[in-house]
Amino acid sequence: MLKPTRRLFSKNLAALPAAAALPFVSNGQMAVPRARSFPADFRWGCATAAYQIEGAANEDGRGPSVWDTFSHTPGKTFHGETGDVADDSYHLYKEDVRLLKNLGATVYRMSLSWSRVFPDGIGKPNAKGLDYYKRVIDELKQNGIEPYVTLFHWDLPASLPHGWQSRETPKAFAEYAGYIARELSDQVHHFFTTNEFVCFTDLSYKVGQFAPGLKLGAAEVNQVRHHGILAHGMGVQAIRANARPGTQVGLAENATVFVPVIEEKAHVEAALKATREGNAPFLTAVLEGQYIDAYLNKEGVNAPKVEAGDMKMISSPLDFVGLNVYTPEYVRADDSAAGYTVLPRPASFPHMPSPWLFVGPEVIYWAVRNVSTLWKPKEIFITENGCSADDVVGTDGRINDTDRLMYLRNHLMHLQRAAAEGYPVKGYFLWSLLDNYEWADGYSKRFGIHYVDFQTLKRTPKLSAEWYKATIAANSVA
Ligand code: PNW
């Protein structure tokens, strides 16, 4: 491989879109620009969440969250598994920062356990809980890694009465967010309010698959959804009011991503319409400040009860939008009333061991493009992308997760297309740094690029970690 030279650089640069400028490689005869480069300031990292990695569930004054209660209830999670120990990152965090450093990551998306900081959700903060996060953040910064902090990744303090059914919960969230902003914004410059509305509302209060495991009716579920997005908006305001000037605020959302079946005008437009309508209770409301008619008409008498000022609060301006991207829905334009149909997936559509994780790498390009086209956020981050795989430790100790590597490589190729076309995608957080507690699936689904032996807690880089390290170093995907 040729080292890039200044001469080649300037000679070729003019012909290239800015995003694809460097580095160069040789094809043996003439230097050609290395394909699929990312912008020079692109940020690379990994993501995790508190309950999935920390363990130390009862240490240093942490209060219980709904996930403690839920996972300890028989029959709720795979083999009754809990996050009591998880990866024990509470004690092993320095090791985890070393893993990040070794990858060459420049950013790390982590979440805070609300009930570690406020054991009762509101009231008196727990200094020891906050101190843990200060230690983690110090360690990251000493290693040149910028912490990106999610305030709420599903582990709601168990003592908040009626959870997200109560309008008091968004207020409690805003108090917690303001406190964190005061305490941590000297060190942390990027905050995400909430992670994945649909998971802590629908999956938790309608489907019952996630904590607290309720199966409520439509009106109550819509109210829970409303409280979720209201918490986000109030959180944004609380951070702005309490953080150092310049602090960047956004959210991390797994918007449903609609991919046009054929890249032609009619289908592309159908995918945009589906994106607005398919995300109406969540991202559409947050970015437009309204519940669109398609949603209100569909829900009728069960539509959420909205108080004066709510929608303005919910649509508080953001510095960036974070997208968690895993799986596509395919859309074709037609002459139905909606103007499009979301196509059913054939039984043979490939998926990873998580049965919902269908593989369609173009999803990541359309996630960025649809959201950019509709709502023009200033910046976009991919706040999660990755997959489960049936990892096996070989007799040589290696974990050759070629399927995960295939998944990541192909998604990054499509993400690079989005960057090269000028969409404002600024960084990528791979889910996940290490195998961890996969919620109701317990430890049965591994998403890490580092293998964790859950008996010994030993971490071992998988082949995908080696590949990701090379990708970060090259700032391009191949
Ligand atoms: C996300 N689905 O969850 C979460 O943010 C992570 O905490 C989680 O570990 C990761 O993705 C992998 O699952 C999802 O059913 C959970 O479509 C379920 C779904 C999507 C995302």
Side-chain angles (χ1 to χ4, degrees):
M1 185 166 99
L2 270 188
K3 280 240 160 85
T5 68
R6 205 164 278 281
R7 191 179 60 80
L8 287 171
F9 177 74
S10 50
K11 197 171 151 212
N12 288 291
L13 187 62
L16 290 171
L22 273 178
F24 291 80
V25 291
S26 167
N27 66 1
Q29 294 182 324
M30 53 181 269
V32 292
R34 178 157 180 164
R36 305 193 185 99
S37 291
F38 284 81
D41 59 352
F42 195 77
R43 279 155 266 180
W44 296 101
C46 292
T48 61
Y51 190 68
Q52 295 181 270
I53 66 162
E54 285 177 4
N58 301 308
E59 231 163 295
D60 291 337
R62 178 181 177 274
S65 82
V66 294
W67 268 96
D68 295 270
T69 322
F70 184 77
S71 64
H72 280 272
T73 307
K76 298 296 186 190
T77 66
F78 178 82
H79 289 179
E81 289 171 347
T82 74
D84 285 0
V85 178
D87 294 319
D88 197 24
S89 203
Y90 193 77
H91 298 107
L92 301 178
Y93 67 91
K94 288 191 179 174
E95 209 174 302
D96 294 339
V97 174
R98 268 205 298 279
L99 300 178
L100 283 162
K101 173 88 173 169
N102 181 52
L103 289 171
T106 53
V107 289
Y108 176 51
R109 176 174 174 241
M110 56 185 274
S111 88
L112 309 187
S113 156
W114 180 347
S115 64
R116 217 180 262 298
V117 182
F118 287 93
D120 300 318
I122 44 170
K124 203 172 155 343
N126 169 32
K128 283 188 170 173
L130 186 69
D131 280 351
Y132 165 62
Y133 294 115
K134 288 187 171 167
R135 289 197 297 280
V136 175
I137 289 162
D138 276 354
E139 186 71 15
L140 286 164
K141 300 210 81 140
Q142 277 174 28
N143 284 281
I145 300 163
E146 235 352 82
Y148 282 52
V149 169
T150 311
L151 293 173
F152 179 68
H153 199 124
W154 310 353
D155 43 358
L156 188 71
S159 42
L160 291 173
H162 311 294
W164 289 111
Q165 288 185 266
S166 167
R167 211 182 143 91
E168 294 304 305
T169 297
K171 293 184 199 162
F173 177 71
E175 280 186 37
Y176 155 63
Y179 175 78
I180 294 295
R182 281 195 297 283
E183 293 290 332
L184 298 184
S185 63
D186 276 351
Q187 299 292 327
V188 177
H189 309 304
H190 298 79
F191 287 99
F192 307 97
T193 51
T194 51
N195 181 71
E196 301 193 347
F197 293 122
V198 76
C199 291
F200 74 86
T201 61
D202 288 44
L203 290 186
S204 304
Y205 289 81
K206 177 181 163 189
V207 181
Q209 179 191 336
F210 285 175
L214 303 182
K215 294 181 180 170
L216 305 177
E220 288 163 298
V221 171
N222 284 329
Q223 207 56 38
V224 163
R225 292 166 163 184
H226 185 69
H227 294 156
I229 62 173
L230 183 60
H232 154 75
M234 292 176 74
V236 173
Q237 293 295 335
I239 295 166
R240 299 246 187 260
N242 288 281
R244 267 173 54 140
T247 302
Q248 305 283 294
V249 189
L251 82 178
E253 178 59 350
N254 62 331
T256 305
V257 180
F258 297 93
V259 175
V261 279
I262 302 168
E263 201 169 322
E264 287 174 352
K265 192 162 181 281
H267 302 299
V268 168
E269 282 171 5
L272 289 174
K273 188 159 190 272
T275 302
R276 269 188 94 222
E277 294 177 358
N279 296 289
F282 304 122
L283 196 59
T284 307
V286 165
L287 297 179
E288 295 190 15
Q290 59 166 340
Y291 288 125
I292 60 174
D293 288 343
Y295 175 59
L296 293 176
N297 294 338
K298 182 168 150 244
E299 299 301 327
V301 292
N302 295 321
K305 299 202 172 23
V306 178
E307 295 188 9
D310 283 3
M311 298 316 292
K312 184 153 191 284
M313 180 68 80
I314 285 166
S315 57
S316 299
L318 302 178
D319 299 301
F320 56 82
V321 168
L323 297 173
N324 296 356
V325 180
Y326 290 95
T327 209
E329 297 288 346
Y330 292 93
V331 171
R332 80 172 299 148
D334 59 18
D335 51 13
S336 64
Y340 62 87
T341 297
V342 179
L343 301 182
R345 258 181 290 259
S348 57
F349 203 100
H351 66 86
M352 303 308 286
S354 302
W356 54 270
L357 216 174
F358 295 97
V359 183
E362 61 278 16
V363 64
I364 202 164
Y365 169 77
W366 289 100
V368 171
R369 177 162 158 181
N370 290 341
V371 167
S372 291
T373 306
L374 284 171
W375 298 302
K376 308 197 167 34
K378 283 186 244 174
E379 297 189 340
I380 291 178
F381 287 94
I382 300 302
T383 32
E384 291 182 22
N385 173 241
C387 66
S388 48
D390 292 331
D391 299 319
V392 174
V393 184
T395 47
D396 58 357
R398 290 182 189 270
I399 301 103
N400 288 315
D401 56 341
T402 48
D403 51 352
R404 179 177 289 104
L405 201 159
M406 174 276 290
Y407 179 100
L408 295 170
R409 169 188 282 141
N410 283 287
H411 281 75
L412 283 178
M413 285 189 177
H414 286 274
L415 183 62
Q416 191 276 339
R417 177 184 170 195
E421 289 180 8
Y423 294 106
V425 56
K426 302 296 180 187
Y428 175 87
F429 296 87
L430 195 160
W431 185 274
S432 182
L433 175 64
L434 70 177
D435 295 336
N436 56 49
Y437 180 68
E438 177 57 10
W439 307 109
D441 288 332
Y443 299 97
S444 69
K445 297 287 184 286
R446 295 176 176 273
F447 274 80
I449 56 171
H450 294 92
Y451 187 90
V452 176
D453 177 330
F454 289 108
Q455 304 304 314
T456 62
L457 298 175
K458 182 168 179 271
R459 284 99 157 113
T460 308
K462 303 177 190 176
L463 181 61
S464 55
E466 220 179 293
W467 175 85
Y468 192 42
K469 179 178 175 151
T471 302
I472 294 174
N475 197 38
S476 84
V477 58

